[in-house]
């Protein structure tokens, strides 16, 4: 906890008795008593300099009189890094003494609205940041060496070495540690007899007394975002084997954020038109060296938990599921897939790739290849670099009858070829 310099606001909070008149009179008396303004004074526009410099404290420097060295200067860019935009600084310069070269008395801020497109929250954050730095700026702490120990960086705003913070963490000047931006955000906190007013960023009591927020509120980090498992289908078009026209196709069901799952379901969505009548014409079986069947993580490691698989063997039901649907343009389609089979996976697995590929496609009479694919998941198509994509379209279609958790499916039609 640290005490800040008193902020006297231009328009004091309204009190129950004689609200308008008493509030205005009370505010003017305070300002006149502290020498902030004369009875007919109006703030005049001030020009913002770059950098803005502050006088080194007289007691620290040992100097007396008006000839005092200018020691601490901050550029507008440095102020911007503190959350202070140019309109904010111009507003503070005009209606406050916070940016004066030297502040001998209380720091005040006249309430005169806000700059255009500046929120109260952002303005308060800027004002507080400067207010907290002001005692340090009016000292010789800026003369500290810029050579810092390992694991520390020189902070141009604080004029000292601070610990290095990585990733999304920032330096917390209150605790000299790294924290999140959320935890660093200042809300204001008052003593028990005072009430916090966020619009003026002051504490006030029933008798009209004012107080600068003395303490930070309890800082609670935001909850970790809930990462829900998400599955996508991926159709991978591979290169043709040497001296062959057949093109191997692999279908992958990729599930991310799977660490909360005990099992993943293999839906076995398949290309349309794979039937005996079109065998060796539209499609064909692959040689063993081109067949892919695996359930792995992002590193290619097997993720099946065989301790929960009876006899260590996964048995698939030979059952074909149909997914009739109507697309927005009126086209009717019928997706195909196998029996949805739950497969136990190892604990802590984050990404699961269920790959299946035992067949390939033959070209038509023009040397072009095509496929139609329907999946309950959004679908991506990946092509080997040698493949020339002629056309590809994916659209969402509504199932005629809900199947499991699916009310919609995704229909993909692709045409491709090779540059022979």
């Amino acid at each position: 906890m640290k005490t800040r310099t008193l902020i006297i606001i231009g328009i004091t909070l309204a009190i129950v008795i004689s609200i308008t008149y008493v509030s205005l009179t009370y505010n003017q008396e305070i300002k006149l008593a502290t020498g902030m303004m004369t009875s007919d004074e109006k703030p005049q526009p001030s020009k913002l300099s770059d950098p803005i410099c502050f006088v080194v404290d007289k007691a620290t420097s040992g100097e007396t009189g008006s000839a005092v060295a200018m020691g601490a200067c901050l550029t507008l860019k440095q102020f911007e890094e503190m959350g202070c935009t140019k309109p904010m600084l111009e507003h503070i310069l005009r209606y406050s003494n916070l940016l004066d070269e030297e502040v001998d008395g209380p720091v005040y801020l006249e309430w005169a609205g806000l700059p255009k497109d500046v929120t109260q929250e952002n303005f308060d954050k800027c004002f507080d940041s400067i207010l907290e730095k002001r005692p340090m700026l009016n000292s010789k702490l800026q003369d500290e060496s810029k050579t810092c120990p390992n694991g520390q960086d020189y902070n141009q705003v604080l004029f000292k070495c601070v610990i290095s913070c990585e990733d999304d963490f920032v330096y917390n000047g209150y605790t000299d540690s790294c924290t999140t931006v959320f935890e660093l955000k200042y809300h204001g906190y008052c003593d028990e007899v005072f009430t916090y007013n966020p619009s003026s960023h002051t504490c006030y009591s029933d008798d009209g007394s004012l107080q600068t927020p003395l303490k930070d509120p309890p800082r609670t980090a935001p909850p970790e975002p809930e990462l829900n498992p998400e599955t996508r289908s991926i159709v991978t078009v591979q290169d043709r084997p040497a001296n062959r026209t057949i093109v191997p196709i692999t279908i992958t069901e990729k599930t991310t954020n799977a660490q909360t799952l005990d099992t993943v379901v293999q839906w076995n969505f398949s290309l349309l038109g794979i039937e005996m009548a079109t065998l060796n014409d539209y499609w064909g079986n692959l040689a063993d060296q081109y067949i892919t069947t695996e359930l792995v993580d992002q590193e290619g490691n097997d993720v099946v938990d065989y301790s929960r698989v009876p006899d260590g063997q996964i048995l698939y039901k030979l059952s074909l599921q149909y997914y009739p649907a109507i697309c927005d343009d009126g086209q009717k389609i019928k997706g195909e897939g196998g029996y949805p089979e739950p497969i136990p996976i190892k604990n802590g697995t984050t990404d699961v790739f269920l790959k299946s590929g035992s067949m390939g496609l033959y070209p038509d009479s023009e040397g072009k290849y095509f496929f139609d694919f329907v999946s309950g998941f959004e679908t991506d198509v990946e092509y080997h670099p040698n493949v020339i994509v002629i056309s590809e379209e994916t659209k969402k279609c509504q199932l005629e009858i809900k199947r499991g958790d699916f009310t919609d499916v995704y229909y993909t039609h692709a045409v491709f070829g090779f540059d022979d």
Side-chain angles (χ1 to χ4, degrees), residues 255 257-264 295-298 300-309 314 343-352:
T255 301
N257 304 321
Q259 58 268 24
T260 60
L261 301 178
D262 293 324
T263 62
V264 293
L295 182 59
V296 297
D297 61 15
Q298 59 269 34
N301 302 312
D302 192 333
V303 298
V304 178
D305 186 354
Y306 290 100
S307 67
R308 292 188 286 139
V309 177
I314 301 175
I343 303 176
I345 60 174
K346 298 175 182 178
N347 292 334
T349 305
T350 55
D351 296 332
V352 177

Side-chain angles (χ1 to χ4, degrees), residues 232-235 373 375 377-381 392 394 410 412:
R232 298 182 70 91
S233 291
I234 303 173
V235 180
F373 178 70
S375 172
F377 307 108
E378 293 187 53
T379 302
D380 301 315
V381 183
E392 180 189 321
T394 296
Y410 297 87
T412 301

Side-chain angles (χ1 to χ4, degrees), residues 180-239:
T180 64
V181 175
F182 177 93
E183 293 169 326
L184 192 63
K185 183 178 178 181
Y186 185 80
H187 294 282
Y189 190 73
C190 308
D191 282 342
E192 292 182 358
V193 296
F194 289 87
T195 302
Y196 179 66
N197 184 342
S199 64
S200 60
H201 190 62
T202 56
C203 303
Y204 66 94
S205 65
D206 293 339
D207 62 5
S209 300
L210 295 178
Q211 179 193 60
T212 303
L214 298 178
K215 300 181 292 185
D216 296 330
R219 290 189 173 89
T220 302
E224 291 293 330
E226 184 176 351
L227 300 177
N228 297 318
E230 181 180 352
T231 302
R232 298 182 70 91
S233 291
I234 303 173
V235 180
T236 303
V237 179
Q238 303 180 40
D239 196 10

Side-chain angles (χ1 to χ4, degrees), residues 160-407:
K160 69 175 184 177
C161 296
V162 300
I163 61 174
S164 304
C165 299
E166 300 178 353
D167 300 326
D168 295 328
F169 288 87
V170 295
Y171 178 75
N172 186 336
Y174 300 109
T175 61
D176 288 332
S177 62
C178 295
T179 184
T180 64
V181 175
F182 177 93
E183 293 169 326
L184 192 63
K185 183 178 178 181
Y186 185 80
H187 294 282
Y189 190 73
C190 308
D191 282 342
E192 292 182 358
V193 296
F194 289 87
T195 302
Y196 179 66
N197 184 342
S199 64
S200 60
H201 190 62
T202 56
C203 303
Y204 66 94
S205 65
D206 293 339
D207 62 5
S209 300
L210 295 178
Q211 179 193 60
T212 303
L214 298 178
K215 300 181 292 185
D216 296 330
R219 290 189 173 89
T220 302
E224 291 293 330
E226 184 176 351
L227 300 177
N228 297 318
E230 181 180 352
T231 302
R232 298 182 70 91
S233 291
I234 303 173
V235 180
T236 303
V237 179
Q238 303 180 40
D239 196 10
R240 295 175 298 186
N243 302 318
R244 298 290 301 275
T245 58
I246 193 170
V247 175
I249 302 293
T250 301
I251 297 176
T252 303
E253 292 172 11
K254 176 184 177 181
T255 301
T256 55
N257 304 321
Q259 58 268 24
T260 60
L261 301 178
D262 293 324
T263 62
V264 293
V265 177
Q266 184 174 12
W267 291 91
N268 282 309
F269 292 110
S270 60
L271 301 185
L272 307 187
I274 306 302
E275 52 193 41
M276 292 304 298
T278 57
L279 178 61
N280 297 325
D281 180 19
Y282 170 62
W283 69 281
N285 291 309
L286 296 174
D288 291 344
Q289 64 266 37
Y290 300 111
I291 295 177
T292 302
T293 302
E294 58 185 8
L295 182 59
V296 297
D297 61 15
Q298 59 269 34
E299 305 297 331
N301 302 312
D302 192 333
V303 298
V304 178
D305 186 354
Y306 290 100
S307 67
R308 292 188 286 139
V309 177
D311 301 324
Q313 292 184 333
I314 301 175
L315 302 177
Y316 297 98
K317 297 179 177 66
L318 298 178
S319 174
L320 189 62
Q321 307 285 316
Y322 291 103
Y323 300 84
I326 302 177
C327 304
D328 291 339
D329 59 4
Q331 180 182 2
K332 292 187 176 183
I333 58 171
K334 183 188 287 186
E336 299 177 2
Y339 183 85
E341 192 73 41
I343 303 176
I345 60 174
K346 298 175 182 178
N347 292 334
T349 305
T350 55
D351 296 332
V352 177
F353 300 80
L354 207 163
K355 301 180 180 182
S356 178
S358 60
M359 48 78 62
L361 301 177
Y362 288 113
D364 61 16
S365 58
E366 297 179 357
K368 298 178 183 178
Y369 298 80
F370 75 92
F371 68 80
D372 296 285
F373 178 70
V374 175
S375 172
F377 307 108
E378 293 187 53
T379 302
D380 301 315
V381 183
E382 299 177 348
Y383 299 92
H384 188 277
N386 291 338
V387 175
I388 298 176
V389 181
I390 299 174
S391 64
E392 180 189 321
E393 178 188 17
T394 296
K395 52 188 175 183
K396 190 176 182 179
C397 308
Q398 186 174 3
L399 284 171
E400 295 180 1
I401 301 175
K402 180 180 178 181
R403 298 297 301 268
D405 294 332
F406 297 123
T407 57

Side-chain angles (χ1 to χ4, degrees), residues 134-146:
R134 191 62 212 242
M136 188 172 295
L137 293 175
N138 285 345
S139 69
K140 283 194 171 181
L141 289 176
Q142 66 270 20
D143 295 332
E144 180 178 328
S145 172
K146 296 186 179 181

Side-chain angles (χ1 to χ4, degrees), residues 88-103:
M88 293 180 187
L89 295 174
E90 290 174 340
H91 191 83
I92 294 173
L93 188 64
R94 182 173 184 179
Y95 296 104
S96 171
N97 63 343
L98 182 61
L99 294 177
D100 290 358
E101 293 177 356
E102 184 176 13
V103 179

